[in-house]
Amino acid sequence: MKDYALWTEGLRKQFGKTRAVDGIDLQVPHGSIYAFLGPNGAGKTTTIKMLLGLLRPDGGKFGLLDHEGPPDPRTLARIGYVPEIPGLYGFMTTRELVDFCRRLHPAWDHDLVDRYLDLFGLPRDRKVGGFSRGMKSQLALVLALAHRPELLILDEPTTGLDPLARKNFLQTVLAEVAQAGQTVLLSTHLLEDAQRVADTVGIIKSGRLVLQKSMDEIKAGEKKVRVVFQHQPPPWLQEIPGVRGLEQEGSAVVLTVTGDISVVLERVRTVPLFALEVIDLSLEQVFHEYATAPGRS
Amino acid sequence: MGRVWVLTGKELNQLRVVLWVGTAVTLVFGLMVPYVYRFVVPMLPSPEMLRGFLGDILRQQLASYRSYLWTNWYGKNLLQNLTVIGIIVGMGAIAGERAKGSLSFLFTLPVSRCAVVAAKAGAASLVLACCTVVPTVAMWAASQSLSGYAVASDFLLGMPLAWAGAVAVTALSMLVSVFTDDLVKAGIGAVGACLLAALPGWFQSTRQFSIFWHMRGMPLLAGAPFPWSSLAPLLAVAAVSLWMTAFAVKRRDF
């Protein structure tokens, strides 16, 4: 597992009778931006909390950077974390909070902090308790980035950000992080954001990882084929290797295909057709296919 | 160790309101004690005229200014104030941070959870020391200079016992606060734990098992040497409770 900045093997967590995380195997390559996607309640935050040692797993193994198991202080010094709702100390000013974190981190980049505080327009001498949720998210992000972590774990970081701050975050901050070779685990349900920045995608549904692929693999391997047959559609369509789903759209049949599409096209062309169209899927459509379609968990 | 100091500084900053209000309120109570003796006690009926349980207590308390001061300060006002302050500080230590959502921020900083518990305990001990020393010394000085009642300086020896008892109360409250994210429940739990700790003190045969009995330092009032046998169990209760807190904090889900 040394090839991965973050990995899990059969990670499980149960709350009462509910299986929040049910044996997931995450593999986040070094230097990648990994979009961890899933509907609300799918188990994203529970997984992240287990990775950070805030929750104890019921089973399975995991590792961050070169450390296996819950991170110790030395590993935590190499990780940056932004939770969905940042619980920063409201009684401190921005300056005090920055100073508090600086004294706990062996590596601290003052210039980067100043630059990002200016970028987000965060006041330095105001109490954090008076900040809006978006401002707190921005400050949490600055604090998470300030020690130049090797691994950045972001749990819905753009929730509560206004469009400009979101753009700044995605275009400026993540671009710099990616350029520096830092690894990012980005948990989000904003698929547009994920599509823009991620190079690897994992989709979790009901606590299970239903897809884990690079963005290139998704673009190349996740398609829809729209076919209008001259006669009745043949009954063997769903048996073609790679066909995951079949829908009737008026006179057309739409096949959802994973993997090598040429096999599907070859088989379909053996039947008289009026029309055949291959449609690329956006990440949103892929997400819909895997995360919201029934029976895919 | 450096990181524990940084965390302790944060905790002291967080507890500054408790520090100022706790010290000020205890100081007011402290300064009132000699004045009550001077102006109110003469208005009371003579203890010799009182019969029964109340009469016995009053006769003991008013036997001398020293015994009055000791029973009203170490036995009542300081003990009660420090207990309340200890519960407030302890119940907010973990449950308060959980309720505000700052615990996940704290636990993902590069510090061990033992360091977090140590810093919280250290800051609480400093706050309690301030709430003990400032009002006690002020009251002792006020007794001599303002009211004209001289009290031997061995009166001040009661402070370590009162402080150690308050630290034990705080540590017990901290332990309770690990198991809930609700401040009210943490407070109720801490009060319950303190009541349990006080229970043996209500009976003559078991009183040496009560935190609050040791906290009063009654052997000192009787002129005995410093009761290390009272200080040791108080510090032991505090140490065991803190160890259990650190153990629970490492193993709980947050």
Side-chain angles (χ1 to χ4, degrees):
Chain A
M1 292 297 175
K2 281 185 178 172
D3 296 341
Y4 300 106
L6 186 161
W7 58 270
T8 69
E9 257 181 34
L11 196 64
R12 285 188 291 112
K13 181 70 185 176
Q14 195 157 336
F15 295 110
K17 287 182 180 172
T18 310
R19 285 184 181 176
V21 174
D22 193 7
I24 69 165
D25 300 327
L26 281 180
Q27 288 165 347
V28 180
H30 281 286
S32 67
I33 297 183
Y34 187 107
F36 191 35
L37 311 175
N40 288 336
K44 302 188 295 288
T45 299
T46 303
T47 304
I48 286 174
K49 284 189 161 188
M50 281 192 281
L51 293 172
L52 290 162
L54 297 170
L55 292 176
R56 280 161 62 85
D58 293 326
K61 295 193 290 185
F62 67 96
L64 296 103
L65 302 171
D66 49 7
H67 180 86
E68 187 174 332
D72 57 8
R74 198 175 293 180
T75 309
L76 284 170
R78 298 160 65 197
I79 297 170
Y81 168 55
V82 179
E84 186 179 2
I85 303 166
L88 303 173
Y89 291 115
F91 64 88
M92 291 187 187
T93 63
T94 303
R95 202 182 294 281
E96 287 168 342
L97 192 57
V98 166
D99 189 51
F100 168 63
C101 294
R102 178 189 61 78
R103 294 200 285 157
L104 293 172
H105 281 284
W108 192 261
D109 190 334
H110 290 281
D111 296 338
L112 185 139
V113 172
D114 282 338
R115 194 152 48 83
Y116 283 161
L117 287 178
D118 290 339
L119 177 74
F120 290 126
L122 291 169
R124 283 156 169 84
D125 294 311
R126 244 178 76 187
K127 297 259 188 213
V128 175
F131 282 11
S132 67
R133 186 176 164 186
M135 289 164 84
K136 284 181 185 167
S137 292
Q138 289 167 330
L139 181 54
L141 189 65
V142 174
L143 296 173
L145 290 164
H147 55 287
R148 295 208 175 269
E150 291 166 54
L151 173 63
L152 190 59
I153 298 177
L154 308 170
D155 189 2
E156 306 280 2
T158 52
T159 310
L161 295 191
D162 60 57
L164 180 66
R166 209 171 121 206
K167 191 179 150 204
N168 281 337
F169 166 68
L170 290 168
Q171 290 187 354
T172 313
V173 179
L174 278 187
E176 280 189 34
V177 166
Q179 209 168 16
Q182 290 162 287
T183 308
V184 181
L185 177 72
L186 171 66
S187 160
T188 183
H189 59 259
L190 298 171
L191 302 169
E192 202 185 311
D193 292 356
Q195 180 148 24
R196 207 181 296 172
V197 297
D199 50 38
T200 313
V201 172
I203 297 176
I204 184 172
K205 182 190 176 189
S206 304
R208 290 184 180 177
L209 201 64
V210 289
L211 175 94
Q212 182 166 238
K213 281 182 177 175
S214 73
M215 201 60 110
D216 292 340
E217 281 176 312
I218 288 172
K219 279 178 190 160
E222 300 288 335
K223 309 264 186 198
K224 284 205 176 196
V225 178
R226 191 170 176 279
V227 196
V228 183
F229 292 99
Q230 289 186 12
H231 309 292
Q232 281 294 310
W236 40 259
L237 281 176
Q238 216 156 1
E239 288 156 24
I240 305 172
V243 172
R244 288 193 295 105
L246 187 149
E247 289 167 74
Q248 190 78 43
E249 269 186 16
S251 59
V253 173
V254 179
L255 306 173
T256 307
V257 181
T258 299
D260 189 2
I261 197 163
S262 59
V263 179
V264 179
L265 297 179
E266 204 174 297
R267 288 292 301 275
V268 167
R269 280 186 181 129
T270 59
V271 183
L273 311 168
F274 281 128
L276 187 147
E277 185 186 6
V278 178
I279 306 160
D280 287 336
L281 292 187
S282 67
L283 183 60
E284 190 172 344
Q285 287 167 311
V286 173
F287 177 79
H288 178 75
E289 284 294 324
Y290 280 88
T292 60
R296 286 225 165 271
S297 60
Chain B
M1 199 62 192
R3 289 179 186 179
V4 177
W5 281 117
V6 175
L7 289 172
T8 306
K10 186 278 284 182
E11 293 296 333
L12 283 173
N13 192 357
Q14 204 164 5
L15 290 173
R16 65 189 187 281
V17 175
V18 179
L19 173 69
W20 292 120
V21 174
T23 306
V25 169
T26 313
L27 183 65
V28 169
F29 275 83
L31 294 176
M32 277 170 61
V33 171
Y35 286 102
V36 168
Y37 188 81
R38 185 170 183 177
F39 298 111
V40 179
V41 169
M43 291 192 279
L44 293 173
S46 165
E48 285 73 30
M49 291 173 66
L50 292 166
R51 289 180 184 179
F53 183 65
L54 189 62
D56 290 343
I57 291 176
L58 270 177
R59 267 191 294 279
Q60 281 172 17
Q61 287 196 5
L62 301 177
S64 68
Y65 182 67
R66 180 184 156 84
S67 64
Y68 162 80
L69 205 59
W70 202 289
T71 48
N72 278 279
W73 187 239
Y74 291 127
K76 203 168 79 183
N77 290 333
L78 184 64
L79 181 135
Q80 288 165 354
N81 282 15
L82 288 183
T83 301
V84 171
I85 294 165
I87 288 173
I88 289 171
V89 171
M91 75 188 206
I94 304 294
E97 295 243 21
R98 275 180 89 178
K100 287 177 202 151
S102 53
L103 201 64
S104 56
F105 172 69
L106 187 62
F107 283 169
T108 50
L109 290 169
V111 285
S112 70
R113 297 199 182 168
C114 283
V116 170
V117 172
K120 284 183 178 292
S125 303
L126 289 172
V127 168
L128 291 166
C130 188
C131 292
T132 306
V133 173
V134 173
T136 305
V137 172
M139 184 194 67
W140 179 70
S143 288
Q144 312 210 37
S145 61
L146 300 176
S147 310
Y149 300 111
V151 181
S153 57
D154 70 344
F155 176 77
L156 301 177
L157 286 177
M159 285 193 297
L161 297 169
W163 169 81
V167 173
V169 166
T170 307
L172 275 174
S173 306
M174 268 173 84
L175 177 59
V176 172
S177 87
V178 177
F179 298 95
T180 176
D181 57 359
D182 185 325
L183 264 178
V184 176
K185 283 182 189 166
I188 292 170
V191 170
C194 287
L195 279 174
L196 277 178
L199 198 62
W202 298 345
F203 309 100
Q204 186 80 16
S205 57
T206 55
R207 65 184 187 186
Q208 69 272 22
F209 299 113
S210 162
I211 291 175
F212 301 100
W213 185 80
H214 290 293
M215 212 173 152
R216 288 190 180 103
M218 297 317 269
L220 281 170
L221 172 62
F226 185 79
W228 295 101
S229 57
S230 283
L231 187 65
L234 292 175
L235 292 176
V237 169
V240 170
S241 302
L242 288 174
W243 180 82
M244 288 170 75
T245 303
F247 185 83
V249 157
K250 269 178 157 176
R251 279 154 186 79
R252 289 278 299 171
D253 283 347
F254 293 105

